[in-house]
Amino acid sequence: MANIVMANQSKSLRGLDGSIVPRVFGFLEKLQSDDTSPGLHIEPMKGAVDRRVRTGRVDLNHRAVLFRVDPQEGGTTYVYMGTWPHDEANSIAERAVLRVNPVNGILEGILTEPTAVPAAASQPSPAVHEEPDHGFLADVGFTLADLTGRLGIDPVVAERALLATDDYALNDIAADIGGWQADALLELACGTAIDEIREKYLFTDAPIDTTADEDDRIMAALDRPASRIQFTYIDGNEELRRVIEGGDFAAWRVFLHPEQRTYVEKSYNGPFRLSGGAGTGKTVVAIHRARNLLRRNPEARVVLTTFNKTLAKNLESDLRALDPDIEIAATLGRPGIYVEGIDKLASDIVKQAGDIGPSTEAVLGTRTEIPTARTKQDRVWREVVDSVGSGLDPRLATPWFLDTEYTSVVLANKITTLEQYARVARPGRGVRLSRPQRIAVWKLIEAYRRRSRMDDTVGFPEVLAVAAEHLHRQAENGAAHLADHVLVDEAQDLHATHWRMLRALVAEGTDDLFIAEDSHQRIYGQPVVLGRLGIKIVGRSRRLTLNYRTTAQNLRLAMSILEGAEYHNLEEAPESTLDYRSARNGPKPELRQYGSAADELRAVADQIKSWLPDTEDSATIAVLTRSVTDRNQMVRGLAERGIDARTLDDNLPVPGHVQVLTMHRSKGMEFSRVILAGVDEARVPSRTGLNGVPEEERAEANLRERSLLYVAASRARDRLVVTWSGGRSELLDRYGR
């Protein structure tokens, strides 16, 4: 039985006609089972540059290009490079070379020029003696010797890079070449030192052993993390099918950047925080890390959680796509990976608690059971404000202010009396409260609690606070914790009671908490500082900067939305966007203004109709709106114009239908083509949403509005169109400057 190694799908499967894909799978399946089968027509190429190259018949008109590697141990391995029409495949095979880079030990598949005479795979590329004219990289001190001699970049690529006039031109070169060399160039554009790049990509510092068998060196190089950017082992037919059928859109399932792989596999002596912009792969790392922790110990109790149930469904779906045999724990505290939204996690803790009375008394001031019904928080706050004469300043007597005060201050500190509330510190709250104001706020909080008891309901934040208290009491009494490892995605949106519960869920120690966050994507709640909540990172944090989803052109628009604003991460440190880069190129985003809402709707429908003929699944097209009302109107309007669109709310995307969803719901999603509709001066930022925010906290609310549009703009992989009628949003003003 032969081993199969596949080159990165973005190259090996790109452009294949849909009818060819099943044939490629059939060919590789047969190759894996019996490479001696005569029907495969595995043939060497006369006059080929590399003796290992082979071609195989996929069908009458298409051939696969492969390399056959026969190490002394481990059996025959075929490295599949791709499938092309017959003549093109032969031309590629004649020039293809599989070699170990002599500088860094990475396995490379390269194409020589038609007339070139290749150097032996163990020899460095020919030296280039003349320095090119100075460009962007040269001006900051990088030389040809640095790029070729210390990083191992191909001399021709290095010359092009040194001639690039700015970082955008360098981005274009990176997008053109792909692979580890592209990522290394983007690191240079971000100002990363060469030694740091070598460390990040785990380049070898040991000289290449040229006396070892060449095929053995190739197999050893395959295990290097940076080699896995371009190559991966395929483990069995099921994984082969997923890779083939998944195509480019699911490439993350198999391929990890060396830096990402480090965060998947490394152990940490305490909580670890991984930050990075949209599309940099934080969720990918979390998913792979959860599986890796379970592989290390099949009896481990791993919790993978995120902000809401919809995102949790996505995580579970992606986990099952990554590994269909993975153990998903149905119950918290059982071996396997428990995947739920954090509110469901809190509810499960309370359900399993037994006697919850002492914890509810500590948090809510009364010994009671936790009902199953949840309080409609916004509605109850409005009713309380209208019915209770508290005397509170009207600018503070709003559901938004009262709910955040209740969650961030009262519940987070287990406040049950006015005396406690009058003395408690309120760090991070923009509005200062005098003693009379605190008395007025407390009067409304007491009324809110009474109303909830009358309705036999409890709010999600209250459940979280009670769950955290219960776990804390259990630990004090010597009971075992419910989890061995906790991984948190979209961590920037969690509030204080979330974090107190998560900290109490797992014992402090090795690999206890893994936290994935992007402060630029915080669209809910108030900022928190983990250190104040008992979660000590202490230098165990890293940041991802290379974007794997969004094209460079779309990324520039998304980044422009954040310009001029100051963000801080969960450790209270400033968070910059300056070094985010993408190696994918595509068309520029289109910004379109229309004279009326009807004209805008008509244009959105026409744009979708123009995309549909070139789209295999219309579910990869999405329209994003600012509000639920706008979303529902869009679905109806598209239906009237003959487009089969579906609302995307708590459900997963429905294949065969254009998806219409709010910008909030788009968090954690990605689509090939995206239209941001209604991005006008009234909706983005939302004038209605900001009306209830006190002036002291208006700046924080505006940051969330920026973040929301940034989240929406970064959902598109390939095409992005932004539309509005009337005056356009001020958040678009910096794009193109």
Side-chain angles (χ1 to χ4, degrees):
M1 183 174 179
N3 302 311
I4 300 293
V5 171
M6 182 170 281
N8 188 319
Q9 296 149 270
S10 63
K11 293 185 181 299
S12 61
L13 298 179
R14 180 184 295 156
L16 279 183
D17 182 88
S19 63
I20 304 299
V21 171
R23 299 173 194 173
V24 172
F25 170 74
F27 169 81
L28 291 174
E29 186 179 33
K30 292 176 184 176
L31 179 68
Q32 197 171 41
S33 300
D34 181 10
D35 64 318
T36 65
S37 173
L40 295 173
H41 291 269
I42 303 297
E43 301 168 357
M45 291 290 298
K46 289 185 178 180
V49 173
D50 192 323
R51 63 172 176 79
R52 285 172 288 268
V53 79
R54 301 287 189 275
T55 65
R57 190 172 75 179
V58 173
D59 63 18
L60 289 176
N61 300 312
H62 294 82
R63 296 192 70 81
V65 177
L66 315 108
F67 292 98
R68 173 172 173 149
V69 183
D70 291 297
Q72 294 183 17
E73 296 183 3
T76 297
T77 294
Y78 287 93
V79 180
Y80 169 73
M81 300 302 293
T83 295
W84 290 271
H86 185 282
D87 292 345
E88 185 179 356
N90 286 341
S91 175
I92 289 171
E94 288 174 352
R95 299 183 288 125
V97 173
L98 188 68
R99 73 163 201 169
V100 179
N101 188 295
V103 174
N104 53 42
I106 297 173
L107 186 66
E108 298 174 317
I110 61 175
L111 282 181
T112 62
E113 293 301 320
T115 57
V117 178
S122 60
Q123 298 300 316
S125 300
V128 178
H129 300 291
E130 295 184 5
E131 287 288 338
D133 294 336
H134 280 204
F136 168 67
L137 290 179
D139 286 342
V140 294
F142 292 110
T143 67
L144 193 63
D146 290 331
L147 273 58
T148 59
R150 298 183 62 200
L151 289 178
I153 292 175
D154 181 86
V156 175
V157 173
E159 285 192 1
R160 287 181 63 196
L162 289 169
L163 288 170
T165 54
D166 53 29
D167 56 340
Y168 291 130
L170 193 63
N171 204 110
D172 291 340
I173 295 172
D176 183 45
I177 62 173
W180 73 266
Q181 296 192 58
D183 288 359
L185 291 181
L186 292 173
E187 296 280 4
L188 292 173
C190 293
T192 308
I194 285 182
D195 287 342
E196 188 177 343
I197 295 173
R198 290 182 60 86
E199 180 181 358
K200 183 181 289 190
Y201 287 69
L202 303 178
F203 288 174
T204 181
D205 288 323
I208 305 299
D209 182 7
T210 57
T211 63
D213 179 81
E214 196 170 19
D215 284 8
D216 287 339
R217 283 191 282 118
I218 286 173
M219 297 306 297
L222 266 171
D223 288 330
R224 301 201 60 79
S227 298
R228 300 180 196 177
I229 294 178
Q230 189 175 358
F231 303 100
T232 190
Y233 286 100
I234 299 298
D235 185 14
N237 288 346
E238 283 306 310
E239 184 171 18
L240 177 61
R241 182 182 296 276
R242 293 199 307 277
V243 171
I244 292 290
E245 294 180 351
D248 289 348
F249 211 62
W252 64 265
R253 294 178 183 171
V254 179
F255 301 101
L256 284 173
H257 185 280
E259 185 180 16
Q260 291 175 325
R261 191 173 294 277
T262 296
Y263 306 138
V264 167
E265 298 174 351
K266 187 176 180 181
S267 285
Y268 299 97
N269 188 29
F272 177 82
R273 183 180 68 86
L274 182 66
S275 66
T280 54
K282 303 177 298 300
T283 300
V284 175
V285 172
I287 290 168
H288 279 261
R289 183 171 178 84
R291 182 180 69 158
N292 190 62
L293 289 168
L294 192 60
R295 281 182 166 180
R296 287 188 208 167
N297 176 16
E299 295 301 311
R301 300 162 303 161
V302 181
V303 171
L304 177 60
T305 189
T306 186
F307 181 74
N308 60 35
K309 62 182 179 181
T310 306
L311 292 174
K313 288 180 182 177
N314 293 340
L315 290 177
E316 182 174 346
S317 175
D318 291 341
L319 260 176
R320 293 186 185 279
L322 176 67
D323 185 352
D325 298 324
I326 201 160
E327 182 67 28
I328 301 295
T331 305
L332 178 65
R334 300 291 299 169
I337 303 178
Y338 170 96
V339 190
E340 291 290 356
I342 198 161
D343 289 332
K344 175 66 162 56
L345 169 60
S347 295
D348 284 358
I349 291 170
V350 170
K351 285 179 183 177
Q352 295 176 210
D355 183 10
I356 201 67
S359 298
T360 60
E361 185 174 20
V363 172
L364 302 175
T366 182
R367 185 180 290 258
T368 183
E369 294 299 313
I370 295 293
T372 57
R374 296 293 171 255
T375 306
K376 304 295 185 183
Q377 293 162 228
D378 188 78
R379 188 191 70 191
V380 173
W381 281 119
R382 290 186 187 281
E383 292 175 355
V384 164
V385 168
D386 291 341
S387 61
V388 176
S390 67
L392 184 63
D393 186 336
R395 71 190 181 89
L396 302 181
T398 65
W400 188 89
F401 175 80
L402 292 169
D403 199 53
T404 53
E405 181 76 5
Y406 185 48
T407 301
S408 301
V409 178
V410 175
L411 292 176
N413 292 283
K414 296 185 291 184
I415 302 297
T416 60
T417 68
L418 172 60
E419 290 71 22
Q420 293 172 333
Y421 182 59
R423 295 193 304 268
V424 72
R426 302 169 59 253
R429 299 292 282 145
V431 178
R432 293 186 177 186
L433 295 179
S434 64
R435 182 173 178 80
Q437 286 175 320
R438 291 199 186 205
I439 293 172
V441 170
W442 187 253
K443 191 173 183 179
L444 293 170
I445 288 173
E446 284 188 319
Y448 175 88
R449 284 180 163 175
R450 282 196 305 270
R451 175 61 185 273
S452 294
R453 288 196 298 272
M454 290 172 57
D455 294 342
D456 196 25
T457 65
V458 65
F460 282 113
E462 293 168 319
V463 178
L464 285 156
V466 170
E469 177 66 12
H470 171 72
L471 292 173
H472 179 70
R473 287 170 176 260
Q474 289 288 97
E476 282 189 334
N477 293 330
H481 289 78
L482 292 177
D484 300 307
H485 312 285
V486 175
L487 299 92
V488 188
D489 194 28
E490 302 290 353
Q492 70 279 348
D493 284 318
L494 305 187
H495 54 62
T497 53
H498 288 127
W499 289 113
R500 294 199 185 281
M501 184 190 72
L502 291 170
R503 179 61 283 177
L505 183 60
V506 60
E508 294 187 24
T510 302
D511 297 330
D512 52 353
L513 280 167
F514 180 90
I515 299 163
E517 68 123 346
D518 177 12
S519 296
H520 299 114
Q521 293 190 68
R522 186 172 58 78
I523 59 178
Y524 298 100
Q526 294 290 108
V528 299
V529 180
L530 293 180
R532 297 175 186 165
L533 300 171
I535 299 173
K536 307 295 184 182
I537 302 297
V538 197
R540 291 183 296 271
S541 63
R542 295 294 184 271
R543 185 164 172 252
L544 298 172
T545 56
L546 293 180
N547 188 296
Y548 299 93
R549 175 202 301 144
T550 310
T551 64
Q553 290 74 15
N554 292 344
L555 184 63
R556 288 170 199 166
L557 171 60
M559 293 293 101
S560 73
I561 294 166
L562 302 176
E563 283 183 24
E566 293 184 6
Y567 287 83
H568 292 80
N569 61 34
L570 291 175
E571 294 182 83
E572 211 173 12
E575 194 73 81
S576 171
T577 63
L578 293 178
D579 46 2
Y580 287 143
R581 291 290 185 276
S582 171
R584 295 185 64 240
N585 263 343
K588 289 184 178 180
E590 297 181 49
L591 277 60
R592 303 175 185 171
Q593 182 177 21
Y594 297 95
S596 68
D599 290 342
E600 182 183 0
L601 177 57
R602 188 180 305 109
V604 169
D606 289 344
Q607 179 64 74
I608 293 172
K609 289 177 180 177
S610 73
W611 283 340
L612 286 174
D614 299 324
T615 305
E616 289 187 12
D617 184 357
S618 54
T620 63
I621 298 175
V623 182
L624 276 52
T625 66
R626 178 62 181 84
S627 70
V628 171
T629 300
D630 294 336
R631 178 199 67 191
N632 295 341
Q633 290 175 346
M634 179 63 68
V635 171
R636 288 194 296 269
L638 292 177
E640 291 169 358
R641 288 158 178 80
I643 295 176
D644 190 0
R646 291 290 186 274
T647 295
L648 188 58
D649 197 354
D650 290 342
N651 55 301
L652 293 174
V654 180
H657 307 283
V658 173
Q659 308 297 305
V660 184
L661 59 158
T662 64
M663 293 181 182
H664 281 89
R665 172 62 179 86
S666 72
K667 178 184 279 287
M669 305 290 292
E670 65 176 69
F671 303 93
S672 177
R673 296 170 172 87
V674 170
I675 298 174
L676 306 185
V679 186
D680 57 52
E681 58 188 355
R683 290 182 176 90
V684 186
S686 171
R687 291 177 183 173
T688 303
L690 294 175
N691 284 340
V693 179
E695 187 61 37
E696 295 92 331
E697 299 189 1
R698 186 65 63 86
E700 178 60 37
N702 276 316
L703 281 184
R704 287 196 300 275
E705 288 290 312
R706 280 183 185 267
S707 294
L708 181 60
L709 187 56
Y710 164 69
V711 166
S714 56
R715 298 307 96 190
R717 283 175 51 88
D718 305 307
R719 295 290 301 276
L720 177 61
V721 176
V722 184
T723 69
W724 68 91
S725 57
R728 80 174 185 175
S729 168
E730 65 189 46
L731 299 182
L732 297 173
D733 287 348
R734 291 179 179 268
Y735 179 63
R737 288 185 180 178

